Amino acid sequence: MKSKVESYLTLCKPRVVLLMILTSMVGMALAPVHFSWAIFIFGNIGIALMAGSAAAINHLVDRQIDRIMHRTQNRPIAQGTISTSDAILFSIILCGLSLFILIKYVNGLAALLTFLTLIGYAGIYTLFLKHKTPQNIVIGGIAGAAPPLLGWVAMTGHIDPGAILLMLIIFIWTPPHFWALAIYRVDEYAKADVPMLPVTHGIYFTKINIILYTILLFAITLLPFAIGMSGWIYLIGVILLNIRFLQWTIRLLHTDKPAVALSVFRFSIVYLMGLFVILLADHLIKTPPFFIH
């Protein structure tokens, strides 16, 4: 049985938050200003705390669904390890700490945008969109795509086209990523009465949409090179990643094996991590390492 500390940590969805913070860090590193270690540290702490707060609200709102679905039935609130009142208090504390850190040590715009991501994910997506439309993950993906923009804004104090492009990459990546999992768990989503695309429009239709979004993602991820944000290392790396992603989605189209859908979902995580790591590596090779600025 998990300890109380482990349960609260689980409430924050740490693996998801770590991936978000990776993209936030890259956004900070690519921002065209003098790199600040203070903003890097405090900015990422603030963004991580707000992400944890949003995750806790997600656990709280979805506690009835979580008890039905095998993937989520061991979550702390669903199991009764953490009470709803304690979860609310925990989320408020994380949100408050995040805002305090971002306002005091980073900048007001970063604090505002970070808070808006909580509203978008925990409020608009979790409370409303998730249960109303099969396009839930598409529209709600705006909040989940924000971390690189938040990192960029933390470092610069304003929004630039480069930050929006990094956000757009994650926004387009989110549907094929999540729909692959939805195919794998389609029976559970149907049982929980959550209108995910494979539940409402069928698995084959969802597979076609996954391929279409992956093709669009291929095109969007070439833009950092096209506008001069990145160089040849990124271009070669991202082309290889996209080819592999397309291979997986085409394989998914031509098979009924649930395990392939799960493999697509898992590869999509590797894909996004790899893309941002390559983007950072390309940047550091082109410019002096940020840690000696």
Side-chain angles (χ1 to χ4, degrees), residues 142-217:
I142 296 173
L149 179 141
L150 299 178
W152 187 295
V153 171
M155 198 63 71
T156 65
H158 51 81
I159 299 173
D160 297 304
I164 295 174
L165 176 55
L166 295 179
M167 181 177 175
L168 180 62
I169 289 172
I170 302 180
F171 176 72
I172 300 299
W173 165 87
T174 301
H177 161 72
F178 206 90
W179 283 335
L181 178 63
I183 289 174
Y184 182 69
R185 298 291 189 184
V186 62
D187 292 336
E188 293 183 28
Y189 279 112
K191 184 179 179 182
D193 199 28
V194 178
M196 298 303 297
L197 193 63
V199 175
T200 60
H201 288 71
I203 290 176
Y204 183 78
F205 180 81
T206 305
K207 290 177 179 180
I208 294 295
N209 276 267
I210 287 174
I211 290 178
L212 293 176
Y213 265 90
T214 305
I215 292 170
L216 179 59
L217 181 64

Side-chain angles (χ1 to χ4, degrees), residues 3-283:
S3 68
K4 210 69 169 176
V5 173
E6 290 175 319
S7 294
Y8 277 109
L9 184 62
T10 300
L11 209 59
C12 295
K13 298 186 178 181
R15 288 185 293 182
V16 175
V17 172
L18 284 173
L19 182 56
M20 294 171 65
I21 293 304
L22 169 64
T23 66
S24 169
M25 289 178 177
V26 175
M28 290 180 177
L30 267 61
V33 293
H34 179 76
F35 184 87
S36 166
W37 272 110
I39 290 178
F40 180 82
I41 293 169
F42 286 115
N44 282 304
I45 289 173
I47 292 168
L49 288 171
M50 191 67 76
S53 176
I57 296 174
N58 177 263
H59 278 242
L60 181 66
V61 173
D62 281 352
R63 62 190 183 278
Q64 300 299 337
I65 295 174
D66 288 345
R67 294 187 181 109
I68 296 173
M69 300 184 65
H70 177 75
R71 182 175 70 93
T72 57
Q73 62 188 200
N74 291 321
R75 286 178 172 177
I77 299 177
Q79 283 285 302
T81 308
I82 296 176
S83 68
T84 56
S85 58
D86 285 346
I88 293 170
L89 179 61
F90 180 64
S91 178
I92 292 172
I93 291 171
L94 291 183
C95 179
L97 284 173
S98 170
L99 289 174
F100 172 79
I101 291 170
L102 292 174
I103 292 171
K104 184 173 179 60
Y105 298 107
V106 185
N107 62 68
L109 182 58
L112 174 62
L113 293 176
T114 303
F115 180 69
L116 288 177
T117 63
L118 178 142
I119 299 299
Y121 176 73
I124 297 173
Y125 167 69
T126 303
L127 280 171
F128 179 71
L129 290 173
K130 187 173 183 177
H131 306 278
K132 296 296 183 181
T133 171
Q135 292 298 309
N136 46 21
I137 201 64
V138 177
I139 306 168
I142 296 173
L149 179 141
L150 299 178
W152 187 295
V153 171
M155 198 63 71
T156 65
H158 51 81
I159 299 173
D160 297 304
I164 295 174
L165 176 55
L166 295 179
M167 181 177 175
L168 180 62
I169 289 172
I170 302 180
F171 176 72
I172 300 299
W173 165 87
T174 301
H177 161 72
F178 206 90
W179 283 335
L181 178 63
I183 289 174
Y184 182 69
R185 298 291 189 184
V186 62
D187 292 336
E188 293 183 28
Y189 279 112
K191 184 179 179 182
D193 199 28
V194 178
M196 298 303 297
L197 193 63
V199 175
T200 60
H201 288 71
I203 290 176
Y204 183 78
F205 180 81
T206 305
K207 290 177 179 180
I208 294 295
N209 276 267
I210 287 174
I211 290 178
L212 293 176
Y213 265 90
T214 305
I215 292 170
L216 179 59
L217 181 64
F218 200 142
I220 294 296
T221 53
L222 298 180
L223 291 180
F225 177 80
I227 67 173
M229 180 189 286
S230 64
W232 287 100
I233 292 174
Y234 169 78
L235 180 64
I236 294 169
V238 81
I239 287 175
L240 293 174
L241 282 171
N242 279 305
I243 289 172
R244 186 58 176 154
F245 202 174
L246 273 173
Q247 287 177 332
W248 270 115
T249 60
I250 292 170
R251 182 179 174 187
L252 176 63
L253 180 65
H254 295 292
T255 183
D256 293 325
K257 296 179 180 178
V260 176
L262 183 61
S263 294
V264 173
F265 169 75
R266 287 173 174 169
F267 177 77
S268 69
I269 298 172
V270 174
Y271 170 93
L272 192 67
M273 291 175 61
L275 184 148
F276 275 85
V277 168
I278 294 169
L279 191 58
L280 178 61
D282 179 274
H283 175 74

